[in-house]
Amino acid sequence: LASRKKNFYHPKKSVFNLISGDSKFEIEFCEYLDSFDDVISFFKNDIQLKQSIEYVKHDGTIGNYFPDFFIKLKNGDRWVVETKGAEGINDPLKLNRLKIWCEDASKLQGINWNCLYVRQEIWNNLRPKPETFITLTNYFQR
């Protein structure tokens, strides 16, 4: 039986007073979200929050995808962000489904929903780190 050590963070811009991250990378990302002037609020999604999107897995079965972060910006836009270290076989399928979800949510709600895929290897090499969330989006696949 393997146990995974959780990392914790006390955010300033989240409705939750404690965020549990699956990796140090997720916690570092939370710290940056708190520091970005253009971010009003965010939350780290997990299975208990039940914010999932159904998608078709590589084997043809239906799976539930839990994107990592939901973010609200000062300009009113919403972003769904997936942070990723090692990429799995279903990850491109999840991202394609997330793009469609954002298009549908934008049409239904009249709010701009966008998605971002943040690879850890690219993030680690950003020098200096961006000062705003919108600047960050220029470095990553949408």
Side-chain angles (χ1 to χ4, degrees):
L1 182 69
S3 71
R4 292 182 63 177
K5 184 180 184 311
K6 288 283 190 175
N7 298 285
F8 295 97
Y9 177 67
H10 294 276
K12 297 188 243 25
K13 295 182 179 179
S14 178
V15 294
F16 302 108
N17 62 354
L18 187 66
I19 289 177
S20 172
D22 296 324
S23 67
K24 287 182 183 175
F25 176 40
E26 287 184 353
I27 297 299
E28 181 180 346
F29 194 74
C30 288
E31 292 169 349
Y32 274 89
L33 291 176
D34 262 341
S35 74
F36 291 150
D37 284 340
D38 55 351
V39 172
I40 289 179
S41 61
F42 70 94
F43 70 88
K44 166 72 177 84
N45 191 29
D46 65 25
I47 200 162
Q48 287 83 13
L49 296 177
K50 299 182 177 24
Q51 295 296 313
S52 67
I53 298 168
E54 287 186 336
Y55 75 104
V56 180
K57 296 179 176 183
H58 75 282
D59 64 4
T61 61
I62 300 292
N64 287 312
Y65 164 46
F66 294 83
D68 290 327
F69 294 94
F70 287 77
I71 301 164
K72 181 179 180 182
L73 299 185
K74 283 185 178 174
N75 67 4
D77 288 355
R78 307 298 201 281
W79 285 80
V80 184
V81 177
E82 179 68 23
T83 55
K84 188 59 65 185
E87 190 170 61
I89 192 167
N90 285 315
D91 290 332
L93 301 171
K94 291 175 184 177
L95 187 64
N96 287 336
R97 178 65 184 99
L98 179 58
K99 288 176 182 176
I100 294 167
W101 185 93
C102 287
E103 290 170 10
D104 291 344
S106 295
K107 287 177 194 166
L108 286 169
Q109 296 181 354
I111 296 170
N112 289 326
W113 281 91
N114 305 282
C115 59
L116 192 67
Y117 187 64
V118 178
R119 292 292 309 263
Q120 185 175 7
E121 63 208 28
I122 297 170
W123 171 266
N124 288 347
N125 291 316
L126 288 180
R127 299 283 185 273
K129 293 284 191 261
E131 302 218 358
T132 65
F133 181 81
I134 289 299
T135 304
L136 172 74
T137 66
N138 296 325
Y139 295 96
F140 293 95
Q141 171 186 340
R142 295 185 191 201

